[in-house]
Amino acid sequence: MTTGLRGILQILSILLSTPSDPSSLILPVLFETDHLAVVAKPPCVACHRTEIKTTRGRNRVYSSGKDENGMHILKRAPFPHHQNIHLVHRLDAVTSGCLLLAFSSVACRQASEALANRGQKTYYSLCRGHGQGLRDRGGPFIVSGDVKDSKGIKRQAETEIEGLWGSSKPRRCCLVRSRPRTGRWHQIRQHLGRENFPIVGETRHHKDIGENRAWKEILDELGIQQRAVSSLSSTKIDGDLGGLVENGKLDVKCPLPFDMRTMISLTDWAKEAQNSLPELFETYPTTIKA
């Protein structure tokens, strides 16, 4: 890696990642009507009650909807003309992508029901392993089985999984597309771990300290801080949103975040992925307050 290229990547990382001042970041708007909006959630911003382990080994719990900087995610939304903003669904703190918001409790309830009954979420994750076992399945397949919720209670869950590309460079990794058919806690993470293709950086459901450390060393060399290796790239709802959006349908896409695109760029299947899924590799929209 040449010094010049490393410097360019460091500059791009600063420009395209979350600013050090949490109050300066406004969530980029991907879609907006008078009743709801879809914003591009960056990684490392929590939507829910979050427990952070400090360097001293103690746990610090932040109030609902705030991240480690104490910044409420909805305070980042650029909708000053709306007094009430509601989360229609949530994403893990380390997951980026489409986040659906509503501007009233009525719109939130309607959108939430439509998303649960007729919605389709598509995630892309960078997983450990070359993925040949997934690709040998010949296309999408269903993983069905119990997953544990945040309290350890088992819940039935189904996820459609498809292995796309994979290799052993720079580490054994593959790109996986997932479409959850149920909405359980850490469902995709648990199902991918069960298939022995856990998401890179996974520490809760399928820990591999050595592999995670190896990826960190690679990214440290590039001056990149790993923030997200899983992204909700598209949210689609067919029907029953009448009055909230035109034609009652919603179909919104979000590019992958910079760090995830950088990790993919190191693989020998990067160009094939970019040619096949160009919408994932568009410039990540980031808006900073003046």
Side-chain angles (χ1 to χ4, degrees):
M1 175 68 63
T2 64
T3 302
L5 178 56
R6 186 184 301 114
I8 292 172
L9 287 170
Q10 288 174 334
I11 293 172
L12 288 174
S13 176
I14 294 171
L15 291 175
L16 297 174
S17 62
T18 305
S20 58
D21 176 9
S23 65
S24 69
L25 176 66
I26 295 179
L27 299 178
V29 179
L30 303 173
F31 177 83
E32 181 181 4
T33 72
D34 292 336
H35 304 282
L36 55 80
V38 180
V39 296
K41 175 193 170 299
C44 294
V45 176
C47 297
H48 46 77
R49 187 173 179 83
T50 306
E51 187 177 90
I52 304 294
K53 182 173 286 188
T54 67
T55 55
R56 296 181 181 179
R58 299 175 182 175
N59 292 334
R60 185 186 308 161
V61 179
Y62 298 94
S63 60
S64 179
K66 294 185 179 181
D67 63 12
E68 62 269 28
N69 296 305
M71 188 70 177
H72 195 294
I73 189 171
L74 298 183
K75 295 295 185 182
R76 301 172 182 268
F79 307 111
H81 49 293
H82 290 287
Q83 294 184 347
N84 298 309
I85 303 177
H86 304 261
L87 283 169
V88 176
H89 66 100
R90 297 175 177 178
L91 293 174
D92 288 349
V94 294
T95 302
S96 68
C98 298
L99 186 65
L100 183 56
L101 309 176
F103 301 137
S104 71
S105 58
V106 174
C108 182
R109 183 167 55 253
Q110 183 178 349
S112 178
E113 292 175 354
L115 186 60
N117 296 325
R118 287 160 296 281
Q120 182 182 80
K121 298 177 183 176
T122 301
Y123 292 80
Y124 288 89
S125 306
L126 191 64
C127 297
R128 299 201 299 261
H130 48 62
Q132 189 61 50
L134 299 178
R135 296 192 297 279
D136 286 345
R137 305 290 285 267
F141 63 95
I142 301 298
V143 176
S144 179
D146 291 343
V147 296
K148 292 183 179 180
D149 65 14
S150 59
K151 297 181 180 180
I153 300 174
K154 291 184 178 180
R155 309 285 188 183
Q156 176 62 26
E158 282 191 356
T159 308
E160 178 188 293
I161 290 175
E162 182 179 9
L164 301 177
W165 302 280
S167 67
S168 299
K169 177 187 176 183
R171 305 286 301 177
R172 290 186 302 114
C173 64
C174 57
L175 188 67
V176 177
R177 177 162 51 213
S178 304
R179 293 188 173 106
R181 295 190 173 186
T182 51
R184 306 304 187 190
W185 181 75
H186 291 184
Q187 173 178 324
I188 294 175
R189 291 168 59 180
Q190 294 188 63
H191 276 168
L192 287 174
R194 190 172 300 168
E195 292 294 312
N196 292 317
F197 292 98
I199 295 174
V200 170
E202 178 65 71
T203 59
R204 180 187 291 267
H205 303 294
H206 201 293
K207 184 179 296 186
D208 188 331
I209 296 176
E211 189 68 19
N212 290 341
R213 183 184 295 117
W215 269 109
K216 184 178 185 302
E217 291 174 354
I218 292 172
L219 296 177
D220 284 346
E221 176 69 15
L222 294 174
I224 302 297
Q225 179 182 4
Q226 178 184 328
R227 294 174 178 267
V229 285
S230 186
S231 182
L232 175 54
S233 70
S234 71
T235 298
K236 184 177 181 180
I237 301 175
D238 287 325
D240 280 0
L241 280 175
L244 300 184
V245 299
E246 187 177 355
N247 298 325
K249 297 183 179 181
L250 179 71
D251 190 357
V252 181
K253 293 179 173 59
C254 182
L256 300 177
F258 174 72
D259 56 335
M260 188 172 174
R261 286 187 281 124
T262 300
M263 295 174 75
I264 291 175
S265 73
L266 302 176
T267 69
D268 52 13
W269 45 267
K271 183 163 293 186
E272 186 177 359
Q274 292 167 5
N275 291 336
S276 299
L277 299 168
E279 67 275 10
L280 297 184
F281 298 91
E282 297 175 354
T283 302
Y284 187 67
T286 301
T287 304
I288 306 298
K289 286 194 298 187

